[in-house]
């Protein structure tokens, strides 16, 4: 699976004979830089080991969602056209597709764009107040497991899930790395390995195996797996501002859904949440917001990550009561 650190504690001014500045109490009331901080976690060697061990894809048809495939082909074609080396749109497409099955669908089923990582279970990723086991910030998201420690540092879960925006994030980097390696005199296989270096599932050759199969067998399209993999684009209001948001419910996952089973990995299955980008004080954050009706907690809860920061290093958690899903008429409307 594939940073900023100055999160501000909310300060309150207490009225009285003398105004006194205090650090925020254990509960805060706004997403962004304010709230209770979790963090201090590092990489998890167990997560990397599980990724490698489960990477090899079963024999049989390689299935891929029809809408996601169209998005990958579009992004790959654009990247090939801008490449500094000679690369066909088909080769670029296969380069993009190859890591997805080893990362999230070793069964060969269609990778789910909604996939949330299940191998990183560091306490730093969980609600420090333990209001529900499903209040958990899974760091790897989507078919390419865009992770806040690497390729997903500057994107939200909503961007990583959407097959179109995720493919556009991944394609230029993969093609550029491939071309740079070729220009340095490396062979095609070594250049592919260089392009796939951000994905641990590719470390031992599983992606090269898939790449060869794509060339000889092609892809079988799955029309039941859509661009968002079962997540639902919505409109939300939060703190008086309207946002495009994405409602992410693991129970609605399309395509490979093994990751939604409780025993699949050590990390919790996240409760359904809303994902959106939020700005506060000129700083951009990824926000995941859980309604109490979805989590069972006594309050709504948000977890915020400053874009560019590894979620394992710093998250802020806050009790909330300010999100309205205006599309579905849910929340505080």
């Amino acid at each position: 699976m594939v940073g900023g650190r100055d999160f501000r504690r909310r300060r309150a001014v207490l009225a009285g004979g003398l105004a006194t500045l205090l650090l925020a109490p254990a509960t805060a009331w706004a997403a962004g830089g304010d709230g209770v901080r979790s963090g201090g976690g590092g990489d998890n060697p167990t997560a990397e080991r599980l990724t490698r061990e489960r990477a090899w894809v079963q024999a049989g048809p390689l299935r891929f969602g029809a809408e996601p495939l169209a998005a990958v082909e579009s992004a790959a074609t654009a990247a090939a056209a801008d490449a500094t080396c000679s690369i066909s749109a088909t080769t670029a497409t296969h380069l993009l597709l190859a890591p997805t099955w080893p990362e999230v669908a070793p069964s060969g089923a269609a990778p789910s764009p909604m996939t949330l990582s299940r191998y990183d279970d560091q306490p730093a990723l969980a609600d420090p107040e333990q209001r529900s086991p499903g209040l958990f910030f899974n760091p790897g998201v989507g078919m390419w497991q865009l992770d806040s420690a690497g390729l997903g540092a500057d994107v939200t879960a909503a961007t990583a899930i959407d097959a179109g925006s995720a493919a556009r994030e991944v394609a230029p980097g993969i093609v550029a790395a491939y071309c740079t390696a070729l220009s340095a005199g490396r062979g095609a296989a070594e250049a592919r390995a260089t392009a796939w270096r951000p994905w641990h599932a590719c470390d031992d050759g599983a992606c090269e195996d898939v790449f060869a199969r794509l060339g000889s067998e092609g892809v079988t399209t799955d029309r039941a797996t859509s661009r968002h993999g079962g997540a639902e684009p919505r409109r939300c209001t939060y703190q008086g501002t309207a946002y495009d948001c994405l409602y992410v419910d693991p129970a609605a996952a399309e395509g490979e859904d093994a990751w939604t089973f409780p025993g699949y990995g050590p990390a919790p299955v996240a409760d359904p949440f809303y994902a959106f980008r939020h700005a506060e004080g000129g700083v951009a954050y990824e926000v995941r917001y859980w309604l109490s009706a979805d989590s069972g907690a006594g309050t709504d809860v948000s977890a915020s990550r400053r874009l560019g920061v590894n979620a394992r290093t710093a998250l802020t958690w806050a009790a909330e009561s300010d999100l309205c899903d205006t599309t579905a008429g849910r929340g505080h409307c």
Side-chain angles (χ1 to χ4, degrees):
M1 294 179 183
V2 280
R5 309 188 207 298
D6 299 326
F7 279 70
R8 305 185 310 282
R9 290 276 190 184
R10 164 166 277 189
R11 296 181 182 272
V13 178
L14 298 184
L18 181 65
T20 305
L21 288 176
L22 296 175
L23 286 176
T27 33
W29 302 96
D34 304 322
V36 177
R37 178 168 171 164
S38 70
D43 292 338
N44 184 345
T46 299
E48 295 181 10
R49 176 180 59 79
L50 287 172
T51 301
R52 294 188 186 99
E53 288 178 354
R54 296 184 177 184
W56 291 90
V57 181
Q58 296 176 16
L62 293 169
R63 298 178 174 83
F64 207 84
E67 280 188 334
L69 180 59
V72 171
E73 290 172 338
S74 176
T77 299
D82 292 337
T84 58
C85 65
S86 178
I87 178 172
S88 69
T90 297
T91 297
T93 297
H94 291 177
L95 280 174
L96 264 67
L97 290 173
T100 64
W101 288 281
E103 278 286 336
V104 303
S107 67
S112 176
M114 198 207 290
T115 305
L116 303 176
S117 59
R118 296 289 310 286
Y119 299 159
D120 277 283
D121 63 342
Q122 295 92 313
L125 297 166
D127 175 19
E129 298 195 15
Q130 300 180 344
R131 286 165 281 209
S132 168
L135 298 177
F136 189 86
F137 199 102
N138 306 83
V141 181
M143 297 183 291
W144 289 278
Q145 286 296 277
L146 297 182
D147 194 299
S148 61
L151 295 178
D154 294 319
V155 303
T156 68
T159 299
I161 287 172
D162 182 332
S165 54
R168 290 191 294 273
E169 287 287 331
V170 172
I174 283 187
V175 171
Y178 174 79
C179 288
T180 299
L182 287 180
S183 298
R186 296 174 185 168
E190 190 176 357
R192 290 192 290 271
T194 300
W196 296 324
R197 192 164 289 157
W199 292 276
H200 288 302
C202 299
D203 288 352
D204 297 329
C207 298
E208 180 66 24
D209 178 68
V210 170
F211 183 86
R213 289 169 60 182
L214 287 168
S216 60
E217 304 166 18
V219 181
T220 300
T221 55
D222 173 7
R223 298 195 177 279
T225 301
S226 65
R227 174 176 175 162
H228 294 96
E232 298 181 15
R234 304 274 181 88
R235 286 288 287 174
C236 296
T237 58
Y238 177 73
Q239 293 187 358
T241 301
Y243 292 93
D244 289 324
C245 58
L246 192 69
Y247 183 61
V248 183
D249 180 359
E254 298 167 348
E256 177 58 77
D257 64 354
W259 61 274
T260 69
F261 301 162
Y264 180 80
V269 180
D271 291 323
F273 62 89
Y274 291 85
F276 57 96
R277 179 187 178 106
H278 169 67
E280 180 180 294
V283 177
Y285 295 89
E286 172 188 5
V287 178
R288 301 185 192 179
Y289 189 111
W290 289 267
L291 292 178
S292 61
D294 289 331
S295 71
T299 180
D300 294 359
V301 176
S302 70
S304 303
R305 175 183 70 88
R306 184 171 180 170
L307 290 179
V309 174
N310 182 351
R312 301 165 186 81
T313 302
L315 293 170
T316 51
W317 298 79
E320 294 274 10
S321 60
D322 201 27
L323 183 136
C324 169
D325 175 346
T326 57
T327 303
R330 303 182 71 229
H332 304 277
C333 299

